């Protein structure tokens, strides 16, 4: 059977050799017990063992100094009487213990039980705290601070094996502190579902009576305050309870009430100036108030500047009865003058005036001066109005025969309109208005509650501002300290830091964040691996999924046993701990440890820490998931980008790729060696971010390289890419264009033999040209439409690039930013590039340092190419007519050039290649026919003619007389191909010099 808020209970009898009994025996023998025992029970057993407790030798201490008439006793007696009547005739043992585990009250369903039970179960005063009594209902409820059930063999002590119990902490509704524990004990076989319902209702009844006691204390303070203002001549000339509402805007009232709560919570006596939003200065005066019954409080009054000194300020009459309870303070208004108490109560002015007796207490008509319990209300002086949760008195009408202020006090006090004690008022004495009245402890709790809400509000805006796991953890620590704790440590698994799920988060923790009010504490530094023992609060919270509170670390056996030397050093600085797991969407993300050096943590702090960690865990998990996806996308993109640039002589190239901070896009670059010693330079950018953009980038880069290697001119390459992008859009599986692909591209082809560059772009930023003299220009290159629009032409432009010039290609992430003007950035780029002496790598770094945004929102791809010119002495060219007799002359001239270049070994292959290519041009081409040899890293043979027909390689049959020429060319060369010109074509073959 599983109830709300409880752990599942193991099935089976407790003494039949199975279930909890056998597991307990295994545990006592030192054997590991991992399953079959509830987590809270196993943790308690482990704590008992670490404390050195013996199950058969537990002598409970007895305290003679316990308070038999304290608050918890007064509140619990009527409730226990009703419980005793409910369980009359049964074997139920009812007890109430204080917050230290000392039993204060006993009741029995069957009174005869008192004669048969041992003294520790009958006589109040015995201590059942876990540290001395082992695992039991009262001790475990205090340790776990929640509803607890303990069955038979789950008890640590041998004497309790035949018993069961259910226990629930009782809290003060105002302070949130645990005041005691209500416990129902019964034989193991008496288990009833009604027991859980009964103990919860009984605990609620005790807590309501505790709240009633607090209300009576506030009423006593209020009576004393009013009596002091009405009858004490030496205090204040007059006090206006509705002065705040008459004088201040509700916004200003809230500011004054917040400062008043701080003064009350700190029990500060004196004056404090408060600056309101409109610039006015208001002085808040605090003074102590003590009722006749000994209740001590603080009254906060606002000194209202600018009030005429001669106006008498009257005291509205105050009743002894409180108004109904409300959940928040209600502003004072002129129509309903009410006093806001820190706990949320409103005291309604009505009834006759109250005077001060000789002891400083209060006395009214027929009302005793000392009372902490509700008193009956005297007959009000004016009609009362009920308004939901408030009851206030309306002022009498002018027709009332008692006058506008009610009957005048006999002593001629302020209610009569005469000066108190017969004295005349001072000329410029300011008016005072009561802002708040309450006990420091209650005020401190109200202030703490408000600050907790403020902390959660701050956390919602402060935690998760980035998608970085480590930074999100730091934001959690910065929010929690000093707002909730003095020191915070956060431990995350290595896998979570990488964006993955940890297979074993309890054994894979690494200290990620250490933050606090000081930096010299001996915490494990960030970056180090940390391990926690099975009884430490950190591992217990990871196992249970709930925050674990250790109010006093000196008594936390599991924490102390983890590392005695280290913990001893920490105890000199910290005294209380809350360990909170970071759980989100079923994934364990780590653990947060909050430490305090001053006042210990309480249950409200634990709840706040749990809520804070839950919110932060979602942000950390979002960051983890994003990190995982970004890592995959970045790995894919880097895999699709070129790993190394091809070896060629035309340009000296450097490149940089900088991914966006928030997400990875689809930028790419490439350097493509082409025929004729030329080189193609390519940059592109796929619209969007994420996996789709990276994958699309890979497809476009592969296609662009293929089109370029077919020796298409730049404008035709862009046309083919435009058709490809349009086809990809049409192949969208949704069929609705939801994932429309867009891209931009710039393609340039540089020819080192002519020192000219042909380029075209499709919606891409223009390139920059750095001339040898340092001048930087942006060529007037038609923009062209972005890829994917279809049907629109692309124009290519040819420019001169003298040797030593630099061609700079980049994507829009370098120059476009939401906070910068593009023209300004282009000018900055011009200044950064105006250093032709720099190497391309230095130029790349200078551009990124001076032009790139500090936090790029888009990828940046940068390609810098310094162009070289081919030595004219390594170029040999001939033009010949379409005459087969001239083929021999070409071969002879070529052999002389090869000899001059020292390439005699390649002569045989070059002779055959030139013979075949020139013969084909003469037979099948058109004049003029040109032959060219280019000597670079390889030897290139080119034959061009004016015909557009291209030869095709085919396998000749054994009976064919021809058709083997191109086959020989392919065998003798490293590569060969056809390049089309505006008029005609070029057949080229490249010979590998190393092979020769």
């Amino acid at each position: 059977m599983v109830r709300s808020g409880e752990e599942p209970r193991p099935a089976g009898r407790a003494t039949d050799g199975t279930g909890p009994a056998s597991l307990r025996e295994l545990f006592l023998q030192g054997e590991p017990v991992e399953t079959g025992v509830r987590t809270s029970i196993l943790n308690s057993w482990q704590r008992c063992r670490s404390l050195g407790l013996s199950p058969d030798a537990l002598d409970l201490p007895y305290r003679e100094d316990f308070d038999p008439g304290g608050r918890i006793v007064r509140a619990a007696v009527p409730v226990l009487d009703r419980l005793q009547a409910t369980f009359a005739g049964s074997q139920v043992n009812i007890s109430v213990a204080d917050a230290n585990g000392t039993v204060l009250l006993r009741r029995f369903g069957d009174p005869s039980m008192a004669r048969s039970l041992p003294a520790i179960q009958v006589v109040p005063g015995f201590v059942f705290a876990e540290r001395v009594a082992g695992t039991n209902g009262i001790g475990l409820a205090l340790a776990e601070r929640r509803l607890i059930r303990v069955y038979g063999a789950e008890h640590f002590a041998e004497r309790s094996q035949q018993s069961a119990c259910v226990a629930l902490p009782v809290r003060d509704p105002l302070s949130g502190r645990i005041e005691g524990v209500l416990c129902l004990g019964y034989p193991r076989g008496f288990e009833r579902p009604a027991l859980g319902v009964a103990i919860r209702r009984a605990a609620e009844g005790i807590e309501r009576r505790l709240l009633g006691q607090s209300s009576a204390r506030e009423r006593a303070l209020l009576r004393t305050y009013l009596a002091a203002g009405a009858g004490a001549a030496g205090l204040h000339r007059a006090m206006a309870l509705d002065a705040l509402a008459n004088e201040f805007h509700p916004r200003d009232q809230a500011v004054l009430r917040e400062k008043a709560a701080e003064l009350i919570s700190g029990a500060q006596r004196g004056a404090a100036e408060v600056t309101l939003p409109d610039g006015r200065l208001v002085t808040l005066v605090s003074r102590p108030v003590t009722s006749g019954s000994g209740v001590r409080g603080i009254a906060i009054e606002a000194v209202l500047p600018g009030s005429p000194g001669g106006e008498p300020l009257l005291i509205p009459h105050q009743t002894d009865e409180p108004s109904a309870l409300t959940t928040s303070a209600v502003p004072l208004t002129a129509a309903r003058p009410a006093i806001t108490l820190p706990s949320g109560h409103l005291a309604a002015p009505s009834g006759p005036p109250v005077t001060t007796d000789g002891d400083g207490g209060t006395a009214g008509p027929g009302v005793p001066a000392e009372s902490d319990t509700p008193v009956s209300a005297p007959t009000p002086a004016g009609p009362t109005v009920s308004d939901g949760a408030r009851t206030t008195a309306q002022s009498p009408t002018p027709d009332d025969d008692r006058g506008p202020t009610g009957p005048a006090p006999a002593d001629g006090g302020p209610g009569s309109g005469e000066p108190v004690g017969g004295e005349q008022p001072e000329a410029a004495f300011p008016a005072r208005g009561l802002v708040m009245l309450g006990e420091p402890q209650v005020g401190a709790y109200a202030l703490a509650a408000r600050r907790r809400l403020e902390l959660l509000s701050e956390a919602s805006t402060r935690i998760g501002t980035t998608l970085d796991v480590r930074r999100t953890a730091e934001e959690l620590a910065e929010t929690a300290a000093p707002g909730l704790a003095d020191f915070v440590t956060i431990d995350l698994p290595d896998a979570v830091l990488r964006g993955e799920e940890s297979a074993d988060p309890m054994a894979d923790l690494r200290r990620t964040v250490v933050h606090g009010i000081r930096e010299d504490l001996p915490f494990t530094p960030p970056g180090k691996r940390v391990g926690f023992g099975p009884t430490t609060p950190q591992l217990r919270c990871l196992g249970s999924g709930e925050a674990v509170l250790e109010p006093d670390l000196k008594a936390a056996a599991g924490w102390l046993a983890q590392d005695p030397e280290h913990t001893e050093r920490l105890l000199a600085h910290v005294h209380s701990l809350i360990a909170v797991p970071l759980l989100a969407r079923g994934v364990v993300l780590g653990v947060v440890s909050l430490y305090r050096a001053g006042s210990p943590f309480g249950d409200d702090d634990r709840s706040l820490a749990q809520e804070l960690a839950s919110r932060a865990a979602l942000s950390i998990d979002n960051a983890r998931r994003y990190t995982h996806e970004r890592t995959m996308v970045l790995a894919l993109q880097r895999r699709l980008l070129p790993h190394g640039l091809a070896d060629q002589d035309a340009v000296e190239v450097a490149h940089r790729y900088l991914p966006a901070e928030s997400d990875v896009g689809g930028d790419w670059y490439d350097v493509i060696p082409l025929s004729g010693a030329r080189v193609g330079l390519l940059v592109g950018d796929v619209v969007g971010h994420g996996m789709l953009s990276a994958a699309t980038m890979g497809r476009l880069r592969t296609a662009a390289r293929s089109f370029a290697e077919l020796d298409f001119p730049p404008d035709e390459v862009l046309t083919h890419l435009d058709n490809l992008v349009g086809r990809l859009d049409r192949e969208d599986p949704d069929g609705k264009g939801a994932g429309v692909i867009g891209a931009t591209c710039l393609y340039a082809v540089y020819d080192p033999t002519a020192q000219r560059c042909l380029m075209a772009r499709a919606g891409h930023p223009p390139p920059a040209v750095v001339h040898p003299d340092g001048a930087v220009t942006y060529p007037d290159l038609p923009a062209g439409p972005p890829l994917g629009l279809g049907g629109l032409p692309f124009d290519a432009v040819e420019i001169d690039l003298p040797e030593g010039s630099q061609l700079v290609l980049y994507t829009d992430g370098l120059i476009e930013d939401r906070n910068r003007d593009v023209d300004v950035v282009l000018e900055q780029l011009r200044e950064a590039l105006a250093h032709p002496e720099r190497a391309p790598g230095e130029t790349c770094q200078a551009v990124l340092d001076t032009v790139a945004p500090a936090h790029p929102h888009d990828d940046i791809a940068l390609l810098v190419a310094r162009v070289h010119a081919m030595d004219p002495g390594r170029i040999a060219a001939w033009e010949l007519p379409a005459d087969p007799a001239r083929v021999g002359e070409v071969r002879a001239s070529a052999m002389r050039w090869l000899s001059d270049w020292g390439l005699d070994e390649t002569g045989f292959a070059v002779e055959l290649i030139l013979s075949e290519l020139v013969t084909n041009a003469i037979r099948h081409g058109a004049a003029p026919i040109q032959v060219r040899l280019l000597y670079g890293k390889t030897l290139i043979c080119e034959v061009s003619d004016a015909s557009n027909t291209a030869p095709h390689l085919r396998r000749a049959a054994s009976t064919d007389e021809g058709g083997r020429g191109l086959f020989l060319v392919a065998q003798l060369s490293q590569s060969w191909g056809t390049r089309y010109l505006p008029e005609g074509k070029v057949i080229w073959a490249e010979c590998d010099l190393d092979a020769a």
Side-chain angles (χ1 to χ4, degrees):
M1 180 181 298
V2 181
R3 296 173 176 79
S4 176
E6 303 176 31
E7 297 176 89
R9 175 166 58 98
R13 300 175 55 191
T15 57
D16 61 357
T18 62
S22 61
L23 293 173
R24 177 176 175 273
E25 293 302 323
L26 287 175
F27 177 82
L28 294 177
Q29 294 169 12
E31 298 292 332
V33 177
E34 298 180 356
T35 59
V37 180
R38 290 181 292 154
T39 303
S40 60
I41 299 298
L42 183 58
N43 289 339
S44 179
W45 287 356
Q46 291 172 338
R47 291 194 295 269
C48 294
R49 182 165 60 185
S50 65
L51 290 169
L53 300 181
S54 174
D56 53 1
L58 287 176
D59 295 328
L60 302 186
Y62 178 78
R63 294 185 56 184
E64 296 182 353
D65 60 344
F66 72 91
D67 186 3
R71 292 185 66 216
I72 186 69
V73 173
R74 297 199 308 272
V77 165
V79 178
L80 262 63
D81 291 341
R82 290 196 296 270
L83 277 178
Q84 185 177 24
T86 300
F87 295 106
S90 68
Q91 297 296 306
V92 175
N93 182 349
I94 308 166
S95 59
V96 170
D98 63 14
N100 297 317
T102 305
V103 174
L104 306 177
L105 292 173
R106 290 283 191 185
R107 293 288 191 276
F108 304 97
D110 184 354
S112 64
M113 293 173 60
R115 296 191 296 270
S116 60
L117 294 176
I120 62 171
Q121 297 184 12
V122 176
V123 180
F126 283 96
V127 180
F128 281 81
E130 185 187 63
R131 66 180 181 277
V132 294
T135 307
N136 70 90
I138 293 175
L140 193 52
L142 289 173
E144 297 285 333
R145 309 177 81 83
R146 59 186 175 88
L147 178 69
I148 287 294
R149 293 177 183 265
V150 184
Y151 306 91
E154 291 180 336
H155 288 89
F156 193 73
E158 290 287 352
R159 62 171 174 266
S160 302
Q161 299 299 292
Q162 300 301 318
S163 302
C165 62
V166 56
L168 179 64
V170 177
R171 290 176 170 82
D172 185 331
L174 287 178
S175 68
R177 295 187 300 267
I178 291 180
E179 293 289 330
V181 177
L182 176 62
C183 182
L184 303 181
Y186 47 90
R188 242 181 346 98
F190 187 77
E191 175 67 24
R192 299 287 189 277
L195 290 174
V197 177
I199 195 170
R200 283 192 172 93
R201 290 180 178 175
E204 291 172 359
I206 297 175
E207 290 174 352
R208 282 196 299 270
R209 292 183 61 82
L210 288 172
L211 178 62
Q213 292 179 11
S214 298
S215 302
R217 295 164 68 89
E218 290 181 342
R219 290 197 301 274
L221 286 175
L222 184 57
R223 286 194 300 270
T224 303
Y225 173 83
L226 291 173
L235 289 178
H236 304 294
R237 305 294 176 173
M239 292 172 288
L241 298 184
D242 59 350
L244 281 183
N246 294 333
E247 191 72 18
F248 298 106
H249 187 273
R251 174 196 58 195
D252 300 333
Q253 297 177 37
V255 173
L256 294 175
R257 284 196 299 271
E258 181 174 357
K259 182 61 178 177
E262 293 182 9
L263 295 175
I264 291 175
S265 65
Q268 302 175 23
R269 180 174 183 177
E273 284 191 343
V274 180
T275 302
L276 298 179
D278 60 5
R280 284 192 297 171
L281 286 178
V282 177
T283 302
L284 293 183
V285 180
S286 67
R287 60 187 180 90
V289 179
T290 304
S291 71
S293 58
V295 179
R296 298 180 180 273
I298 300 289
I300 306 297
E301 299 168 338
V303 179
L304 310 180
S307 178
E311 292 185 7
L313 297 173
L314 308 181
I315 306 175
H317 302 305
Q318 175 65 30
T319 182
D320 290 335
E321 279 296 304
S323 65
L325 302 182
T326 61
T327 57
S328 60
V330 180
L332 304 178
T333 62
R336 292 192 174 113
I339 298 175
T340 306
L341 300 179
S343 63
H345 304 124
L346 294 178
S350 63
V354 185
T355 59
T356 307
D357 61 14
D359 298 331
T362 60
V367 179
E370 177 178 292
S371 174
D372 273 348
T373 58
V375 294
S376 59
T379 303
T384 61
V385 177
S386 177
D387 183 18
R390 298 180 295 178
T391 303
T392 59
Q394 292 183 332
S395 302
T397 62
D399 296 336
D400 196 316
D401 55 5
R402 294 171 296 178
T405 62
D411 60 358
S416 65
E418 297 297 333
V420 177
E423 297 181 4
Q424 294 297 324
E426 299 176 9
F429 192 87
R432 291 174 180 260
L434 179 64
V435 179
M436 193 171 288
L437 175 67
E439 298 179 75
Q441 297 84 359
V442 178
Y445 177 72
L447 183 63
R450 182 164 60 252
R451 286 178 175 170
R452 289 187 180 99
L453 292 176
E454 292 172 354
L455 182 63
L456 290 176
S457 176
E458 179 186 0
S460 64
T461 58
R462 188 172 181 179
I463 300 176
T465 59
T466 68
L467 286 171
D468 180 78
V469 174
R470 196 180 303 274
R471 179 56 195 153
T472 304
E474 291 173 352
E475 290 170 345
L476 168 60
E478 292 166 0
T479 303
L484 174 61
D486 294 326
F487 304 95
V488 178
T489 64
I490 300 178
D491 306 314
L492 304 178
D494 285 332
V496 172
L497 293 172
R498 296 193 302 267
E500 305 168 2
E501 293 187 18
S502 177
D504 187 5
M506 297 185 185
D508 186 29
L509 291 173
R510 186 175 297 276
R511 181 60 46 87
T512 306
V513 178
V514 176
H515 179 74
I517 58 177
R518 291 168 49 191
E519 297 182 356
D520 57 346
L521 264 64
F523 290 109
T524 302
K528 298 291 186 180
R529 294 188 65 84
V530 292
F532 298 106
T535 61
T536 55
Q538 287 84 354
L539 211 62
R540 285 159 48 201
C541 80
L542 286 175
S544 64
E546 300 290 337
V548 173
L549 169 62
E550 291 288 357
D552 184 7
L553 284 177
K554 294 180 180 178
W559 185 79
L560 293 171
Q562 168 71 13
D563 186 349
E565 181 180 354
H566 180 67
T567 54
E568 184 178 355
R569 296 199 307 270
L570 277 179
L571 281 176
H573 306 281
V574 296
H575 306 293
S576 189
L577 164 68
I578 298 178
V580 194
L582 290 170
L583 300 173
R585 304 181 179 98
V587 178
V588 177
L589 302 173
V591 61
V592 182
S593 301
L594 301 101
Y595 297 88
R596 266 190 190 172
S599 59
F601 288 114
D603 283 293
D604 289 328
D605 298 315
R606 179 175 66 171
S607 300
L608 176 61
Q610 183 85 49
E611 176 67 20
L612 197 63
S614 297
R615 298 188 181 194
L618 287 175
S619 297
I620 292 177
D621 190 49
N622 290 338
R624 179 192 66 82
R625 290 167 176 257
Y626 167 77
T627 301
H628 179 66
E629 180 178 347
R630 187 174 188 272
T631 301
M632 290 194 303
V633 174
L634 192 57
L636 172 64
Q637 186 182 51
R638 292 194 182 280
R639 190 68 180 173
L640 294 174
L641 288 173
H643 292 180
L645 300 181
D647 189 17
Q648 41 77 38
D649 293 331
V651 293
E652 178 187 353
V653 179
H655 56 87
R656 296 290 187 274
Y657 173 77
L658 187 65
E661 274 194 357
S662 58
D663 207 349
V664 178
D667 292 15
W668 85 91
Y669 59 89
D670 209 345
V671 177
I672 309 168
L674 301 175
S675 64
R678 298 170 307 138
V679 64
L681 304 175
L682 186 69
V683 291
D685 182 8
V686 175
V687 176
H689 298 85
M691 186 74 72
L692 177 61
S693 295
T696 304
M697 177 273 290
R699 300 173 73 177
L700 291 184
R701 175 181 170 258
T702 302
R705 188 177 186 93
S706 299
F707 295 144
E709 289 179 344
L710 290 175
D711 270 324
F712 291 142
D715 52 339
E716 291 189 28
V717 169
L718 296 182
T719 300
H720 287 296
L721 288 176
D722 182 55
N723 294 334
L724 173 63
V725 172
R727 186 163 59 252
L728 292 177
D729 277 341
R730 290 192 296 273
E731 293 173 358
D732 178 16
D734 295 335
K736 300 178 181 178
V740 172
I741 299 171
T744 64
C745 185
L746 170 63
Y747 181 41
V749 176
Y750 173 69
D751 186 353
T753 62
Q755 301 179 39
R756 295 184 64 82
C757 183
L758 182 66
M759 61 183 72
R761 61 178 176 140
H764 202 82
V769 176
V770 184
H771 297 273
D773 60 359
V776 179
T777 61
Y778 296 100
D780 186 13
L781 182 62
L787 301 177
L789 295 183
L792 298 176
F794 299 95
D795 296 325
V797 172
E798 191 173 31
I799 62 173
D800 291 326
L801 283 182
E803 183 176 12
S805 301
Q806 291 187 8
L807 184 63
V808 181
L809 286 68
Y810 51 88
T811 55
D812 57 2
L814 178 67
I815 62 173
E816 294 182 5
D817 185 76
R818 66 189 67 174
N819 300 319
R820 303 189 299 174
D821 183 79
V822 173
D823 293 334
V824 174
V825 177
L826 287 176
E827 188 61 33
Q828 293 175 350
L829 178 61
R830 186 192 304 272
E831 295 175 0
L833 293 175
H835 298 276
E837 73 282 358
R838 288 177 179 158
E842 296 175 349
T843 301
C844 284
Q845 194 60 45
V847 169
L848 293 181
D849 291 342
T850 59
V851 181
H855 303 283
H857 297 284
D858 194 6
D859 292 12
I860 297 175
L862 177 63
L863 189 67
V864 177
R866 172 176 284 169
V867 302
H868 299 297
M870 178 169 280
D871 184 359
R874 293 196 171 202
I875 303 175
W878 304 273
E879 184 172 343
L880 63 155
D883 183 2
R886 303 292 298 273
V887 175
E889 297 179 10
V890 172
R891 288 199 304 265
S893 298
M895 293 304 295
R896 289 193 297 269
W897 278 98
L898 292 178
S899 178
D900 293 341
W901 292 337
L903 303 177
D904 297 299
E905 297 85 352
T906 63
F908 177 73
V910 171
E911 279 188 302
L912 288 178
I913 291 174
L914 286 178
S915 296
E916 293 297 333
L917 295 182
V918 172
T919 302
N920 280 342
I922 293 174
R923 288 183 177 179
H924 307 291
I929 299 173
Q930 294 180 336
V931 178
R932 188 169 68 162
L933 296 180
L934 303 176
Y935 174 31
K937 288 186 177 297
T938 60
L939 181 65
I940 302 173
C941 304
E942 293 183 346
V943 177
S944 63
D945 65 82
S947 171
N948 289 326
T949 59
H952 297 282
L953 178 65
R954 67 183 180 87
R955 183 177 296 276
S958 59
T959 58
D960 291 344
E961 295 184 0
R964 295 177 178 83
L966 288 180
F967 179 78
L968 290 175
V969 171
Q971 294 298 314
L972 294 172
S973 64
Q974 175 179 291
S975 60
W976 74 280
T978 304
R979 179 171 78 248
Y980 290 94
L981 303 174
E983 294 181 0
K985 65 181 181 297
V986 176
I987 309 298
W988 56 271
E990 186 174 339
C991 299
D992 188 359
L993 299 180
D994 294 335

